[in-house]
């Protein structure tokens, strides 16, 4: 009566937050936070209700040992799962809705619908008047009526007492109905495969297909934005938008959509023409989920697509939801993606939720998401319905436990005792490792342990003395360095959990590779000394050779000087002889000149005498 889940207590423990935990004989476990009890059993994820032992690990995860169900780990109540075991009509949930009375409705594939009031389920099937046991979407209108659409047998309206069914015989264009939405005027829109859209005003259905102005007759999804524009996701022509001024009353009155009132966004470059869902964020961006093309953001001018290459776990977007906190949730066949677009929708941070994080349903279904009045999120999947409690999704502040598990030489396990004086007790990791210069190919293996999300641990490493910077984060648990040059090195590695919390102090491994003797300082010193000695010897030998050459040269100069002196004396003697001969020639010339003068005078006298004789 006090809230304890059972009186037969088998185990008691306390977690890091001071909460008391009680394990019971057949009623699961209870958590007491000092004010109230929270009970957990097989219906919300416990593997078995007979709990014999409990322990809280370093990551504040609770581990339960059961008598018959093995071991369970509890890392917080952020996910809760409802299945057939809890009373739901079926496990394959295709649609989720919360009505005005806070009842949850689940549409299943082949088992009708279930109403959940928080305690018990009430199930409805075709035999109870429901249009079909295969329900694809659910809403309630402003009058409190619930609408169920089916894949193959039209639609049902439920007023709380009875079902009223509509199909092609009542005016629907097709019995394959995938989506339903109520617009701001109170008219109900239906998306059909093969018949385009149908608008119901409480009196009649108005059907609009390609002939009446749509881009396609195959419509998967409908969404009305904050401005009253209606968005249509199609199977083969991408997404179209009907402008707000062309409201549903005008369409019903005209019976068609004028081409000036509708635009097809395919021409803007949507990567995939099969559009399954559409939502709008607080900035007015329209997010378009496609099958095979990821999610596309349209800001009114440009399109930007996010896909698996940007971090999504799949390009098949089965559902999308903007929660009240501003996160964008995308459901795929591989779990959930949460995009943080609260501040910057251009480069959102992406967080994945799958089985390791507690989302055990994994594969989500079309249209199956809703945020309830308590701000919990509900997602339909192939194993039931899963509730996500954001208040329990606390960041993992515990850094992973990290160890270097092995060091290999040339990719092989090595007996390090030859190169090290001490080995670790576990793993045989060497201390004070010193390797020969040619044993320089090392592989480091390491592992980080995080009990909350063990498969989401990532690593960074750096070989100090070789690498300039840390490596990018990676899920690799080994790294190889080839042809490490001689020197002193320290290998450093850090591990990060799924929330990006890493080791403040990296795990390190130091080693040394001495250089070969021809690269040591003493060898270089000897080479320098030998070089200096050779230089001295060379200089001395050269000086001796130069002295010898100098003496030879001096002797040659002396001999040549003597020869030149002799030659000078000869030249001087010859010069004197020439001078004497010159003087003699000069005297002869004077004598000759005198004789010439005498001869001339004689000739003149003779000539005068002759003249006188003639006369």
């Amino acid at each position: 009566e006090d809230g304890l889940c059972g009186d037969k207590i088998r185990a008691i423990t306390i977690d890091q937050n001071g909460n008391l935990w009680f394990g019971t004989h057949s009623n699961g476990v209870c958590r007491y936070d000092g004010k109230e009890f929270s009970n957990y059993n097989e219906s919300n994820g416990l593997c078995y209700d007979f709990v014999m032992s409990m322990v809280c690990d370093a990551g504040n995860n609770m581990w339960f040992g059961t008598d018959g169900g093995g071991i369970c780990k509890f890392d917080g109540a952020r996910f809760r799962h409802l299945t057939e075991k809890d009373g739901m009509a079926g496990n394959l949930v295709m649609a989720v809705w919360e009505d005005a009375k806070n009842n949850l409705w689940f549409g299943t594939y082949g088992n009708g619908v279930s109403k959940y009031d928080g305690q018990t389920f009430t199930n409805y099937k075709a035999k109870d008047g429901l249009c079909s046991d295969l329900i694809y979407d659910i809403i309630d209108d402003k009058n409190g009526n619930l609408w169920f659409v089916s894949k193959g047998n039209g639609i049902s309206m439920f007023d709380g007492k009875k079902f009223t069914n509509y199909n092609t015989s009542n005016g629907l264009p097709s019995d394959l109905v995938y989506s339903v939405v109520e617009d701001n005027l109170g008219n109900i829109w239906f998306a059909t495969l093969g018949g385009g859209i149908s608008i119901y005003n409480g009196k009649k259905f108005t059907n609009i297909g390609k002939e009446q102005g749509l881009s396609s007759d195959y419509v998967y999804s409908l969404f009305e934005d904050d401005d009253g524009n209606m968005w249509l996701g199609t199977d083969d022509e991408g997404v179209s938008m009907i402008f707000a001024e062309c409201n549903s009353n005008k369409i019903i009155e005209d019976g068609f959509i004028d081409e000036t009132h509708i635009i097809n966004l395919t021409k803007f470059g949507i990567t995939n023409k099969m559009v399954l869902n559409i939502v709008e964020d607080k900035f007015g961006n329209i997010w378009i989920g496609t099958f095979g093309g990821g999610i596309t953001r349209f800001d009114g001018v440009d399109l930007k697509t996010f896909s698996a290459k940007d971090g999504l776990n799949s390009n098949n977007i089965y559902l999308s939801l903007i929660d009240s906190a501003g996160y964008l949730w995308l459901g795929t066949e591989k779990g959930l993606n949460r995009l943080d677009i609260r501040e910057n929708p251009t480069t959102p941070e992406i967080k994945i939720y799958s089985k390791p994080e507690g989302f055990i349903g994994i594969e989500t279904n079309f249209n199956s998401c809703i945020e309830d009045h308590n701000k919990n999120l509900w997602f339909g999947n192939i194993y039931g319905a899963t509730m996500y409690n954001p208040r329990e999704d606390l960041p993992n502040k515990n850094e992973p436990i990290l160890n270097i598990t092995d060091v290999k030489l040339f990719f092989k396990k090595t007996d390090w005792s030859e190169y090290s004086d001490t080995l670790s007790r576990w793993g045989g990791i060497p201390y004070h490792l010193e390797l020969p210069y040619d044993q320089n190919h090392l592989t480091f293996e390491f592992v980080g342990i995080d009990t909350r999300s063990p498969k989401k641990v990532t690593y960074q490493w750096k070989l100090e003395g070789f690498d300039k910077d840390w490596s990018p984060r990676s899920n690799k648990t080994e790294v190889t360095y080839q042809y490490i040059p001689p020197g002193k090195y320290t290998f450093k590695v850090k591990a990060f959990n799924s929330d990006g919390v890493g080791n403040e102090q990296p795990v390190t491994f130091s080693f040394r590779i001495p250089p070969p003797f021809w690269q040591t300082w003493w060898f270089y010193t000897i080479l320098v000394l030998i070089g200096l000695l050779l230089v001295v010897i060379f200089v001395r030998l050269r000086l001796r050779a130069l002295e010898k050459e100098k003496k030879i040269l001096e002797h040659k100069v002396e001999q040549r000087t003597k020869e030149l002196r002799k030659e000078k004396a000869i030249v001087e003697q010859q010069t004197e002889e020439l001078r004497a001969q010159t003087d003699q020639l000069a005297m002869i010339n004077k004598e000759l000149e005198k004789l010439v003068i005498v001869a001339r005078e004689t000739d003149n006298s003779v000539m005068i005498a002759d003249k006188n004789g003639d006369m």
Side-chain angles (χ1 to χ4, degrees), residues 8 10 60 68 116 177 183 249 251 269 279 304 376 381 491 509 519 537 575 602 604 611:
K8 296 181 179 181
R10 299 297 184 187
N60 204 28
Y116 182 60
V177 186
D183 66 20
N249 288 340
I251 295 174
V279 292
K304 179 176 174 56
N376 300 312
N381 54 77
F491 177 71
F509 175 84
Q519 294 181 5
I537 293 172
T575 301
T602 303
N604 288 335
K611 286 180 179 181

Side-chain angles (χ1 to χ4, degrees), residues 130-235:
L130 187 66
C131 60
S132 172
D133 287 335
L134 200 164
I135 301 301
Y136 258 50
D137 200 7
I138 307 170
I139 66 164
D140 64 334
D141 61 27
K142 63 181 182 181
N143 296 318
N145 300 310
L146 282 155
W147 293 85
F148 307 93
V149 303
S150 74
K151 182 183 176 181
N153 203 28
I155 59 180
S156 288
M157 184 191 72
F158 183 57
D159 61 7
K161 297 180 180 178
K162 66 176 182 177
F163 291 94
T164 302
N165 298 327
Y166 304 93
N167 51 44
T168 52
S169 63
N170 306 108
L172 272 181
S174 171
D175 287 335
L176 296 172
V177 186
Y178 274 72
S179 183
V180 54
V181 65
E182 182 182 28
D183 66 20
N184 56 12
L185 298 178
N187 297 312
I188 311 296
W189 294 57
F190 302 95
T192 75
L193 284 189
I197 60 172
S198 186
I199 305 174
Y200 182 68
N201 64 355
K203 298 178 180 179
K204 67 173 183 176
F205 291 93
T206 300
N207 302 321
I208 307 294
K210 289 189 72 172
E211 293 184 359
Q212 292 79 32
L214 288 189
S215 60
S216 173
D217 285 331
Y218 297 86
V219 183
Y220 272 124
S221 57
L222 296 165
F223 175 76
E224 185 180 31
D225 66 23
D226 290 342
D227 295 325
N229 303 308
M230 187 66 72
W231 296 77
L232 287 65
T234 71
D235 176 62

Side-chain angles (χ1 to χ4, degrees), residues 523-561:
F523 184 78
Y524 289 139
T525 302
I526 291 173
L527 288 180
V528 170
L529 292 175
I530 291 174
L532 291 173
L533 181 60
L534 290 175
V535 169
V536 171
I537 293 172
F538 173 77
V539 170
R540 288 186 176 182
L541 291 175
R542 183 61 178 159
L543 287 173
R544 289 180 183 179
L546 290 174
E547 287 290 336
K548 186 176 180 180
E549 290 178 1
K550 178 182 177 183
K551 289 180 179 180
I552 294 172
L553 183 58
E554 287 177 347
H555 178 71
K556 288 182 177 181
V557 169
E558 185 179 354
Q559 293 295 323
R560 183 58 178 162
T561 302

Side-chain angles (χ1 to χ4, degrees), residues 457-492:
V457 177
T458 55
Y459 305 89
Q460 277 186 308
W461 55 81
K462 175 184 181 182
L463 183 57
E464 199 169 75
F466 188 88
D467 294 324
K468 291 183 178 180
D469 300 309
W470 288 87
S471 70
R473 287 192 197 177
S474 170
N475 58 6
K476 289 176 58 179
T477 57
E478 68 174 37
V479 59
T480 298
Y481 288 91
Q482 305 180 36
Y483 309 115
I484 306 171
K488 293 182 179 180
Y489 301 96
T490 300
F491 177 71
K492 297 182 176 181

